[in-house]
Each structure stands twice: as C-alpha cells, then as structure tokens.
Amino acid sequence: PQLQKLLDLLAKEKVKAYAYGGYPRDHLLNRPHKDLDLVVFCSPEIVVKLFGSAARPHHTIPNQFSLQGNIDIRCTNSSLLE
C-alpha cells in the first residue's frame, strides 16, 4: 500500500519510478521489509514540489531524499530512459 500510494502520486506528474534493493526482493519472498528505496526519473525540484518539507535532503548523497525515515528517493536523469 505504501509503495502504491507513492507510485500513484508520482504517476500523476508523469514521473517514472522503480523500487530497488531489499523491498522488491522481500516482497517477492513474502518477507516483511523495513524500508523502501525508489529511483525516480525527475529533478530534485519535482520531488520537493510533490512532497514538500517531508522530503528531507540526504546530508551526504546528492539528489537523494528521505521520507518518514524509512523511504529513500533517489533522483536520476530522465534521459536515461530514452
């Protein structure tokens, strides 16, 4: 449910997003997961626009944000999809 809500919000803005890391692995294995890592194909400004002050910039990793302490969103260049 948490992932679907985020994906729906991003889809409204036509932002492609993919889960990576432990979340998809644990989901496929029906195991509980502790966190969610998303890569989004948009600028950091769009992440801030969508999530406001809830999107806290990571202090050492550029273009990465944390939401609610257990969701990491990493922005990457949309031209990689072309």
Side-chain angles (χ1 to χ4, degrees), residues 1 4 12 16 21 26-27 32 34-35 38 45-46 59 63 74-75 79 82:
Q4 193 58 56
K12 285 182 183 178
K16 291 192 185 275
D26 292 342
H27 180 75
K34 297 182 281 185
D35 62 356
L38 286 178
E45 292 80 16
I46 292 176
H59 62 281
N63 300 324
R74 181 171 293 186
C75 301
S79 67
E82 297 172 359

Side-chain angles (χ1 to χ4, degrees), residues 42-72:
C42 68
S43 69
E45 292 80 16
I46 292 176
V47 171
V48 171
K49 174 187 160 193
L50 291 173
F51 299 105
S53 62
R56 295 183 314 274
H58 194 281
H59 62 281
T60 59
I61 302 173
N63 300 324
Q64 184 161 320
F65 298 86
S66 291
L67 297 174
Q68 303 172 348
N70 66 336
I71 301 170
D72 288 327

Side-chain angles (χ1 to χ4, degrees), residues 7-23:
L7 293 177
D8 289 346
L9 179 62
L10 292 164
K12 285 182 183 178
E13 294 292 322
K14 297 186 176 22
V15 173
K16 291 192 185 275
Y18 299 93
Y20 68 94
Y23 186 95

Side-chain angles (χ1 to χ4, degrees), residues 29-43:
L29 296 172
N30 291 319
R31 297 191 314 203
H33 43 271
K34 297 182 281 185
D35 62 356
L36 170 61
D37 299 310
L38 286 178
V39 61
V40 295
F41 293 86
C42 68
S43 69

